[in-house]
């Protein structure tokens, strides 16, 4: 086992998502099963698709000097990061030197900037891009800009491992603190890829959900016998992680404690998931946390509502948790917020953290009849309130076969302390 120097606490959360533009709004949406999925359409495509949309233009939150560098992905990432830092009661990181880091995940990065440039190149025959277009479109633009804004001088790392991208980033930030290399890390991810070219790429996989005729908000139905596919979404989620010693020194509030991280590759197929790889990640997280499978009180599933993916994960859960799988509450909150791709892990770990802190079980909305291949103890349609959750686990599985499992555990003094701001240094 690895030598571990410190517990790792969640002291701040920032969210911009289809079901909330703050952690408080996110929690209300989970408790009320409010969907953020609507119809997205473009003249460039033959038909509309359901998508999780934020529906707000944030460009007025930035100066004219900043905007040329900022794809929408970077905009929402920076604002969610600001929220997490403020929520943690921090004013900056300059005094931390290289003891503070940033770990970020995304699939597409500045894809809207790339889309707009290619359109200019092909349609308008523009042969030279505007200055800074390359900087706005690069995958690490968002974390670079966040580190510049907040003076994060330690490791600033971008991970892109498909739908587990932010999960790897959270796990590696957690491990850097736990092993004593850092005192604090801002971890998370962002995605803003609702563009015609990107949607069409997914359409080629025949993986996108059909709009629900009765109510487009019900288009994503994980585990359901009548599911038709995944729903793409945009959003950004960051968590502020700190060592217990650092959090204690400033009497920081605690949402929970990251206790487990497991990562494993399928080594199977670039586009199809594998039960063995997912089960390996789940077992690795339990082992890292020193927990028995029976101690997990809630499991937030990756379940994207695809025909091929959901049964594979259900089998991995049954394989890992054995008899406990018939008792352990399971849900996929993608039913209301959709699939945030590179930011999915961060979104779903935030959901787990709220479940642990608030004592409730989020639901799989719209799940009326489960697919027999996906047999588990599903939390169906409505959340379960007033339920003690000591340990919650989430799984993310990405194309290419990278699987990440994370565990968040309850901090019993999480509501007894308020954050104390750290003085900003010049």
């Amino acid at each position: 086992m690895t030598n571990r120097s410190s517990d790792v606490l969640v002291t701040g959360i920032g969210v911009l998502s289809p079901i909330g533009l703050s952690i408080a709004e996110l929690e209300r949406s989970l408790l009320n099963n409010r969907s953020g999925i609507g119809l997205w359409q473009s003249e460039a495509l033959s038909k509309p698709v359901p998508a999780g949309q934020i529906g707000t233009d944030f460009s007025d939150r930035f100066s004219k000097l900043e905007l040329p560098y900022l794809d929408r992905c970077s905009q929402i990432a920076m604002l969610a990061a600001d929220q997490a830092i403020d929520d943690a009661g921090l004013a900056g990181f300059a005094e931390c030197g290289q003891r503070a880091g940033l770990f970020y995940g995304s699939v597409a990065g500045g894809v809207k900037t790339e889309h707009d440039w290619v359109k200019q190149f092909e349609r308008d025959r523009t042969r030279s891009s505007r200055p800074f277009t390359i900087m706005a479109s690069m995958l690490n633009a968002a974390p670079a800009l966040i580190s510049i804004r907040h003076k994060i001088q330690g490791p600033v790392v971008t991970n892109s491992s498909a739908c587990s991208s932010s999960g790897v980033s959270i796990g590696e930030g957690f491990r850097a603190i736990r092993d004593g290399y850092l005192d604090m890390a801002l971890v998370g991810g962002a995605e803003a890829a609702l563009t015609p070219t990107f949607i069409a790429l997914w359409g080629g996989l025949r993986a996108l959900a059909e709009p629900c005729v009765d109510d487009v908000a019900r288009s994503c139905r994980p585990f359901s016998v009548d599911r038709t596919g995944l729903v793409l979404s945009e959003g950004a989620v960051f968590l502020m992680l700190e060592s217990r010693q650092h959090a204690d020194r400033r009497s920081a509030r605690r949402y929970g404690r990251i206790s487990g991280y497991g990562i494993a590759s399928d080594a199977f197929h670039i586009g199809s998931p594998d039960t063995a790889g997912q089960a390996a990640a789940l077992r690795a997280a339990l082992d890292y946390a020193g927990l028995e499978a029976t101690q997990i009180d809630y499991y937030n599933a990756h379940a994207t509502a695809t025909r091929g993916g959901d049964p594979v994960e259900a089998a991995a859960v049954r394989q890992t948790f054995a008899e406990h799988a018939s008792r352990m509450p399971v849900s996929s909150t993608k039913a209301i917020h959709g699939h945030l791709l590179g930011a999915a892990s961060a979104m779903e770990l935030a959901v787990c953290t709220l479940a642990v802190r608030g004592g409730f079980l989020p639901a799989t909305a719209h799940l009326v009849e489960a697919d027999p291949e996906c047999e588990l103890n599903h939390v169906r349609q409505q959340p379960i309130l007033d339920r003690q959750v000591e340990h919650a686990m989430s799984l993310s599985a990405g194309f290419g076969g990278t699987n990440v499992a994370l565990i968040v555990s309850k901090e019993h003094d999480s509501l007894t302390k308020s954050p104390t701001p750290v003085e900003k240094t010049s």
Side-chain angles (χ1 to χ4, degrees):
M1 298 292 287
T2 305
N3 290 324
R4 296 163 183 170
S5 65
S6 178
D7 288 340
V8 179
L9 306 177
V10 180
T11 59
I13 305 177
V15 177
L16 291 182
S17 79
I19 59 170
L21 301 184
S22 68
I23 194 64
E25 286 185 8
L26 172 61
E27 186 167 35
R28 285 196 294 271
S29 292
L30 292 168
L31 292 172
N32 293 287
N33 247 13
R34 185 187 73 81
S35 176
I37 294 171
L39 211 56
W40 183 92
Q41 51 192 338
S42 167
E43 294 179 355
L45 299 180
S46 59
K47 62 179 182 178
V49 297
Q53 303 166 73
I54 293 175
T56 302
D57 181 3
F58 297 103
S59 57
D60 62 354
R61 302 280 296 272
F62 301 92
S63 71
K64 291 182 178 180
L65 291 177
E66 292 175 304
L67 283 174
Y69 297 96
L70 298 178
D71 185 88
R72 179 171 173 81
C73 185
S74 292
Q75 292 181 22
I76 62 175
M78 293 175 74
L79 295 174
D82 288 351
Q83 273 189 33
I85 294 165
D86 290 344
D87 190 43
L90 295 163
F93 299 90
E95 67 175 20
C96 302
Q98 292 185 308
R99 299 290 298 175
L102 194 166
F103 296 80
Y104 171 82
S106 183
V107 169
V111 69
K112 185 179 185 304
T113 297
E114 288 183 351
H115 171 82
D116 291 345
W117 161 241
V118 170
K119 186 167 63 174
Q120 289 178 329
F121 186 87
E122 294 292 347
R123 185 192 64 188
D124 302 334
R125 301 298 178 185
T126 304
R127 289 296 177 256
S128 180
S129 71
R130 290 180 299 172
F132 316 125
T133 299
I134 188 68
M135 297 173 189
S137 62
M138 64 188 189
L139 195 58
N140 69 320
L145 291 162
I146 293 166
S147 71
I148 292 166
R149 173 176 282 196
H150 295 286
K151 305 304 178 190
I152 299 174
Q153 298 170 336
V156 177
V157 180
T158 299
N159 177 77
S160 188
S161 51
C163 304
S164 60
S165 295
S166 58
V168 177
S169 298
I170 293 166
E172 293 305 308
F174 156 72
R175 191 146 57 183
I177 296 172
R178 187 127 189 206
D179 292 350
Y181 297 104
L182 298 176
D183 296 322
M184 55 204 314
L186 183 63
V187 298
E191 212 72 73
L194 298 180
T195 65
T197 45
F198 194 79
I199 297 291
L201 284 172
W202 283 87
L205 285 175
R206 307 292 189 268
L208 296 181
E210 293 294 326
C212 178
V213 175
D214 298 326
D215 181 2
V216 70
R218 299 173 61 88
S219 298
C220 186
R221 297 185 294 278
F223 297 126
S224 179
V225 70
D226 66 348
R227 66 192 184 279
T228 63
L230 62 84
V231 170
L232 295 175
S233 296
E234 61 179 350
V237 182
F238 282 88
L239 297 89
M240 193 69 237
L241 305 185
E242 295 185 53
S243 69
R244 183 177 295 279
Q245 296 94 320
H246 194 275
D248 283 349
R249 282 199 300 271
R250 62 186 199 89
S251 299
R253 174 186 52 200
R254 300 96 190 276
Y255 281 96
R257 172 172 55 88
I258 306 296
S259 55
Y261 168 45
I263 182 168
S265 178
D266 291 342
F268 173 67
H269 189 278
I270 196 166
S272 297
D274 182 57
T275 292
Q278 294 184 10
L282 294 171
R283 287 193 301 269
L286 288 167
D287 180 63
Y288 201 102
L291 294 173
E292 298 295 328
T294 54
Q295 292 178 271
I296 300 299
D297 300 305
Y298 167 65
Y299 176 90
N300 186 288
H302 179 67
T304 61
T306 59
R307 284 283 162 194
D310 291 7
V312 168
E313 182 178 9
V317 171
R318 292 192 294 267
Q319 183 182 118
T320 304
F321 292 92
E323 292 182 1
H324 187 54
S326 65
R327 300 185 297 270
M328 180 180 66
V330 173
S331 70
S332 172
T333 50
K334 286 184 176 75
I336 58 173
H337 57 66
H339 194 348
L340 274 70
L341 298 177
S345 302
M347 179 68 170
E348 287 151 31
L349 186 65
V351 169
C352 286
T353 304
L354 291 175
V356 166
R357 186 190 70 162
F360 70 98
L361 302 175
T364 302
H366 329 312
L367 178 56
V368 178
E369 181 182 355
D371 184 336
E373 289 189 272
C374 301
E375 181 182 353
L376 294 167
N377 183 26
H378 297 289
V379 183
R380 302 170 187 246
Q381 299 194 68
Q382 294 297 326
I384 298 173
L385 308 181
D386 301 318
R387 179 70 67 89
Q388 184 80 357
V389 181
E390 288 287 333
H391 307 285
M393 174 181 265
S394 68
L395 177 75
S396 294
F399 282 165
T402 301
N403 307 293
V404 172
L406 296 162
I407 301 173
V408 60
S409 299
K410 192 172 184 67
E411 274 288 299
H412 290 277
D413 63 346
S414 61
L415 299 181
T416 63
K417 296 182 179 181
S418 58
T420 301
V422 174
E423 291 295 327
K424 184 179 289 187
T425 59
S426 58

